[in-house]
Amino acid sequence: MNMNSIGTRFVIFAVISLNANAVFLTVQCKSEIVGQYGQQSLLQCVVEPIDKDTTIRVVTWRKEGVKRALLVFHEMETIQEPDFKFADPSWNNKNMNVSLLITNTEVANSGDYTCMVITDSGEGSSMVNLKVVAKYSEPVIHSIPKKITRTADGTLICDTDGGYPKGHIRWFVDGDWEWTKSSKMEAQQTQSGLFHLSSELTLLQGSIFSTYTCVVFNASGGKEAEHTFEVGPESSGIGGGTGMDSASKIVAPVVVIGSLIAGLLLVLLIYRKRSQQARRHSTAPLMGGHQEVCRCELEGDEDHPQRMDDRCQNLQV
């Protein structure tokens, strides 16, 4: 017996039941369920019968927008679509727990479900809303060019996959300063219904920060994941700035030390020159006496050295 024939027989049976019984029982369902993508989702419904000895004759689960019933129990036979079944594996017509289990939740499963139950003492129905969510993957940041410095323009691109519903990406610089307005985000929905988010942030020379953090938020505004990109040191020339930075670290101290030595030598030269000039000024009055002594020594009598010494002493006095 196929699902269409069961559905037709169920409608006929329901009409007969409505005419025969004006009693309505209560079907208590949890109004909203959140299901994780790729996992099981439980749509909880329990029948509250009027009579304790109630027997269930028909159960049907339908999803809004889908023509065929997902699960039908009728005349002691259960027919169900793949991935849909009673939550209780040993369910029977005396079991008032008519919850539906979705074994592998997909994005397409989100929506409103109706559970209708007919018993030998009355009937009732209730609705459940299933919201499917999927967590986004850890974001990845890549840059154009590959090495970003503060001396040139650049671009950062942040990507994340596998989320649902559509979330959004925000940018933060140097910790907690938001910079999202300078970015542009695109969201693409895959065949599975999940979203791929990509955000592009333009960096302008002269206004580039040390760190950029890409943060992924879900549709409810909750933070799910983040990744931080660090800007490299400043560089110039072709081939990156590592060699230049190392050379600069060596050359700079040498230049400073050389300047200090040159300054010290200049000070010493000036000091020496001034000392010589001061010495010349202080010895000028004594120069005449020394000249006399020299002449005295030259004119002295070699045969009488003592006499020469006396004459020289007199001249010096």
Coordinates of all heavy atoms in Angstrom, one line a residue, residues 3-49:
M3 N 1.8 5.5 -0.1 CA 1.5 6.6 0.8 C 0.2 7.4 0.4 O -0.6 7.8 1.2 CB 2.6 7.6 0.9 CG 2.5 8.7 2.0 SD 2.7 8.0 3.6 CE 4.4 7.7 3.7
N4 N 0.0 7.5 -0.9 CA -1.2 8.2 -1.4 C -2.5 7.5 -1.1 O -3.5 8.2 -0.7 CB -1.1 8.4 -3.0 CG 0.0 9.4 -3.3 OD1 0.3 10.3 -2.6 ND2 0.6 9.2 -4.5
S5 N -2.5 6.2 -1.2 CA -3.7 5.4 -0.9 C -4.0 5.5 0.6 O -5.2 5.6 1.0 CB -3.6 4.0 -1.3 OG -2.5 3.4 -0.7
I6 N -2.9 5.5 1.4 CA -3.1 5.7 2.9 C -3.7 7.0 3.2 O -4.6 7.2 4.0 CB -1.8 5.4 3.6 CG1 -1.4 4.0 3.5 CG2 -1.9 5.8 5.1 CD1 -0.1 3.7 4.1
G7 N -3.2 8.0 2.5 CA -3.7 9.4 2.8 C -5.2 9.5 2.4 O -6.0 10.1 3.2
T8 N -5.6 8.9 1.3 CA -7.0 8.9 0.9 C -7.9 8.2 1.9 O -9.0 8.7 2.3 CB -7.2 8.3 -0.5 OG1 -6.3 9.0 -1.4 CG2 -8.6 8.4 -0.9
R9 N -7.5 7.0 2.4 CA -8.2 6.3 3.3 C -8.3 7.0 4.7 O -9.3 7.0 5.4 CB -7.6 4.9 3.5 CG -7.7 4.0 2.2 CD -7.1 2.7 2.5 NE -7.7 1.9 3.5 CZ -7.4 0.7 3.9 NH1 -6.3 0.1 3.4 NH2 -8.0 0.1 4.9
F10 N -7.2 7.7 5.0 CA -7.2 8.5 6.3 C -8.2 9.6 6.2 O -8.9 9.8 7.2 CB -5.8 9.1 6.5 CG -5.8 10.1 7.6 CD1 -5.9 9.7 8.9 CD2 -5.7 11.4 7.3 CE1 -5.8 10.6 9.9 CE2 -5.6 12.4 8.3 CZ -5.7 12.0 9.6
V11 N -8.3 10.3 5.1 CA -9.3 11.4 5.0 C -10.7 10.8 5.2 O -11.6 11.4 5.9 CB -9.2 12.1 3.6 CG1 -10.3 13.1 3.5 CG2 -7.8 12.8 3.6
I12 N -11.0 9.7 4.5 CA -12.4 9.1 4.6 C -12.6 8.7 6.1 O -13.7 9.0 6.6 CB -12.5 7.9 3.7 CG1 -12.3 8.3 2.2 CG2 -13.8 7.1 3.9 CD1 -12.3 7.2 1.3
F13 N -11.6 8.1 6.7 CA -11.8 7.7 8.1 C -12.0 8.9 9.0 O -12.8 8.8 10.0 CB -10.5 6.9 8.5 CG -10.6 6.3 9.9 CD1 -11.3 5.2 10.2 CD2 -10.0 7.0 11.0 CE1 -11.4 4.7 11.5 CE2 -10.1 6.5 12.2 CZ -10.8 5.4 12.5
A14 N -11.3 9.9 8.7 CA -11.4 11.1 9.6 C -12.8 11.7 9.5 O -13.4 12.1 10.5 CB -10.4 12.2 9.2
V15 N -13.4 11.7 8.3 CA -14.7 12.3 8.1 C -15.7 11.4 8.9 O -16.6 11.9 9.6 CB -15.1 12.3 6.6 CG1 -16.6 12.7 6.5 CG2 -14.2 13.3 5.9
I16 N -15.6 10.1 8.8 CA -16.5 9.2 9.6 C -16.3 9.4 11.1 O -17.3 9.4 11.8 CB -16.2 7.7 9.2 CG1 -16.5 7.5 7.7 CG2 -17.0 6.8 10.1 CD1 -16.1 6.1 7.2
S17 N -15.0 9.6 11.5 CA -14.8 9.8 12.9 C -15.4 11.0 13.4 O -15.9 11.1 14.5 CB -13.3 9.7 13.2 OG -13.0 10.0 14.5
L18 N -15.3 12.1 12.6 CA -15.9 13.4 13.1 C -17.4 13.3 13.2 O -17.9 13.9 14.2 CB -15.5 14.5 12.1 CG -14.0 15.0 12.1 CD1 -13.8 15.9 10.9 CD2 -13.8 15.7 13.4
N19 N -18.0 12.6 12.4 CA -19.5 12.4 12.5 C -19.9 11.5 13.6 O -20.9 11.8 14.3 CB -20.0 11.8 11.2 CG -19.9 12.8 10.0 OD1 -19.9 14.0 10.3 ND2 -19.8 12.3 8.8
A20 N -19.0 10.6 13.9 CA -19.4 9.6 15.0 C -19.0 10.1 16.4 O -19.7 9.8 17.3 CB -18.7 8.3 14.8
N21 N -18.0 11.0 16.5 CA -17.5 11.5 17.8 C -17.4 13.0 17.7 O -16.7 13.5 16.8 CB -16.2 10.8 18.1 CG -16.3 9.3 18.3 OD1 -16.9 8.8 19.2 ND2 -15.7 8.6 17.3
A22 N -18.0 13.7 18.6 CA -17.8 15.1 18.7 C -16.8 15.5 19.7 O -16.7 16.6 20.1 CB -19.2 15.8 19.0
V23 N -16.1 14.5 20.3 CA -15.2 14.7 21.4 C -13.8 15.0 20.8 O -13.4 14.2 19.9 CB -15.1 13.5 22.3 CG1 -14.1 13.7 23.4 CG2 -16.5 13.2 22.9
F24 N -13.1 16.0 21.3 CA -11.8 16.3 20.8 C -10.8 16.1 22.0 O -11.0 16.7 23.1 CB -11.7 17.8 20.3 CG -12.5 18.0 19.1 CD1 -13.8 18.3 19.1 CD2 -11.8 17.9 17.9 CE1 -14.5 18.5 17.9 CE2 -12.5 18.1 16.7 CZ -13.8 18.4 16.7
L25 N -9.8 15.3 21.8 CA -8.8 15.2 22.8 C -7.6 16.2 22.5 O -7.6 16.9 21.6 CB -8.2 13.7 22.7 CG -7.7 13.2 21.4 CD1 -6.3 13.6 21.1 CD2 -7.9 11.7 21.4
T26 N -6.7 16.2 23.5 CA -5.6 17.2 23.4 C -4.3 16.5 22.9 O -3.9 15.5 23.5 CB -5.4 17.8 24.8 OG1 -6.6 18.4 25.2 CG2 -4.3 18.9 24.7
V27 N -3.7 17.1 21.9 CA -2.4 16.7 21.5 C -1.4 17.8 21.9 O -1.4 18.9 21.3 CB -2.3 16.5 20.0 CG1 -0.9 16.0 19.6 CG2 -3.3 15.4 19.6
Q28 N -0.6 17.5 22.9 CA 0.4 18.5 23.4 C 1.7 18.4 22.7 O 2.4 17.4 22.8 CB 0.6 18.3 24.9 CG -0.6 18.6 25.8 CD -0.9 20.1 25.9 OE1 0.0 21.0 25.5 NE2 -2.0 20.5 26.5
C29 N 2.1 19.5 22.0 CA 3.4 19.5 21.3 C 4.2 20.7 21.7 O 3.7 21.7 22.0 CB 3.2 19.6 19.8 SG 2.3 18.1 19.1
K30 N 5.5 20.5 21.8 CA 6.4 21.6 22.0 C 6.4 22.5 20.8 O 6.7 22.1 19.7 CB 7.8 21.1 22.3 CG 8.8 22.2 22.8 CD 10.1 21.6 23.2 CE 11.0 22.7 23.8 NZ 12.3 22.2 24.2
S31 N 6.0 23.7 21.0 CA 5.7 24.6 19.8 C 6.9 24.9 18.9 O 6.8 25.1 17.7 CB 5.1 25.9 20.3 OG 6.0 26.6 21.2
E32 N 8.1 25.0 19.5 CA 9.3 25.3 18.7 C 10.5 24.4 19.1 O 10.8 24.3 20.3 CB 9.7 26.8 18.9 CG 10.8 27.3 18.1 CD 11.1 28.8 18.2 OE1 10.2 29.5 17.7 OE2 12.1 29.2 18.8
I33 N 11.1 23.9 18.1 CA 12.3 23.0 18.3 C 13.4 23.6 17.4 O 13.2 24.0 16.3 CB 12.0 21.6 17.8 CG1 10.8 21.0 18.6 CG2 13.2 20.7 18.0 CD1 11.0 20.8 20.0
V34 N 14.6 23.6 18.0 CA 15.8 24.0 17.3 C 16.6 22.7 17.0 O 17.0 22.0 17.9 CB 16.7 25.0 18.1 CG1 18.0 25.3 17.4 CG2 15.9 26.2 18.4
G35 N 16.8 22.4 15.7 CA 17.6 21.2 15.3 C 18.9 21.6 14.7 O 19.0 22.6 14.0
Q36 N 19.9 20.8 15.1 CA 21.3 21.0 14.5 C 21.4 20.3 13.2 O 21.1 19.1 13.1 CB 22.3 20.5 15.5 CG 22.4 21.3 16.8 CD 23.0 22.7 16.6 OE1 23.8 22.9 15.7 NE2 22.7 23.6 17.5
Y37 N 22.0 21.0 12.2 CA 22.2 20.4 10.9 C 23.1 19.2 11.0 O 24.1 19.1 11.7 CB 22.9 21.4 10.0 CG 23.2 20.9 8.6 CD1 22.2 21.0 7.6 CD2 24.4 20.4 8.3 CE1 22.5 20.5 6.3 CE2 24.7 19.9 7.0 CZ 23.7 20.0 6.1 OH 24.0 19.5 4.8
G38 N 22.7 18.1 10.3 CA 23.4 16.8 10.3 C 23.2 16.0 11.5 O 23.8 14.9 11.6
Q39 N 22.4 16.4 12.5 CA 22.1 15.6 13.7 C 20.6 15.3 13.7 O 19.8 15.6 12.9 CB 22.5 16.4 14.9 CG 24.0 16.7 14.9 CD 24.4 17.5 16.2 OE1 23.7 17.5 17.2 NE2 25.6 18.1 16.2
Q40 N 20.2 14.5 14.8 CA 18.8 14.2 15.0 C 18.0 15.3 15.6 O 18.5 16.1 16.4 CB 18.7 13.0 15.9 CG 19.3 11.7 15.3 CD 19.1 10.5 16.3 OE1 18.8 10.7 17.4 NE2 19.3 9.3 15.7
S41 N 16.8 15.4 15.1 CA 15.8 16.4 15.7 C 14.6 15.7 16.2 O 14.0 14.9 15.4 CB 15.5 17.5 14.6 OG 16.6 18.3 14.3
L42 N 14.1 16.1 17.4 CA 13.0 15.5 17.9 C 11.8 16.4 18.0 O 11.9 17.5 18.7 CB 13.3 14.9 19.3 CG 12.2 14.3 20.1 CD1 11.7 13.0 19.4 CD2 12.6 13.9 21.5
L43 N 10.7 16.1 17.3 CA 9.5 16.9 17.4 C 8.6 16.3 18.4 O 8.0 15.2 18.2 CB 8.8 17.0 16.0 CG 9.7 17.4 14.8 CD1 8.8 17.6 13.6 CD2 10.5 18.7 15.2
Q44 N 8.5 16.9 19.6 CA 7.8 16.3 20.7 C 6.3 16.5 20.7 O 5.9 17.7 20.7 CB 8.5 16.8 22.0 CG 10.0 16.5 22.1 CD 10.6 17.2 23.4 OE1 9.9 17.4 24.4 NE2 11.8 17.5 23.3
C45 N 5.6 15.4 20.8 CA 4.1 15.5 20.9 C 3.6 14.3 21.7 O 4.0 13.2 21.5 CB 3.4 15.4 19.5 SG 3.6 17.0 18.6
V46 N 2.7 14.6 22.6 CA 2.1 13.6 23.5 C 0.5 13.8 23.5 O 0.0 14.9 23.6 CB 2.6 13.7 24.9 CG1 1.9 12.7 25.8 CG2 4.1 13.5 24.9
V47 N -0.2 12.7 23.4 CA -1.6 12.7 23.4 C -2.1 12.6 24.8 O -1.7 11.8 25.6 CB -2.2 11.5 22.6 CG1 -3.7 11.5 22.7 CG2 -1.7 11.6 21.1
E48 N -3.0 13.5 25.2 CA -3.7 13.5 26.5 C -5.1 13.0 26.3 O -6.0 13.8 26.1 CB -3.6 14.9 27.2 CG -2.2 15.3 27.5 CD -2.2 16.6 28.2 OE1 -3.3 17.2 28.4 OE2 -1.1 17.1 28.6
P49 N -5.3 11.7 26.5 CA -6.7 11.1 26.2 C -7.7 11.4 27.3 O -7.3 11.7 28.5 CB -6.4 9.6 26.1 CG -5.2 9.4 27.0 CD -4.4 10.7 26.9

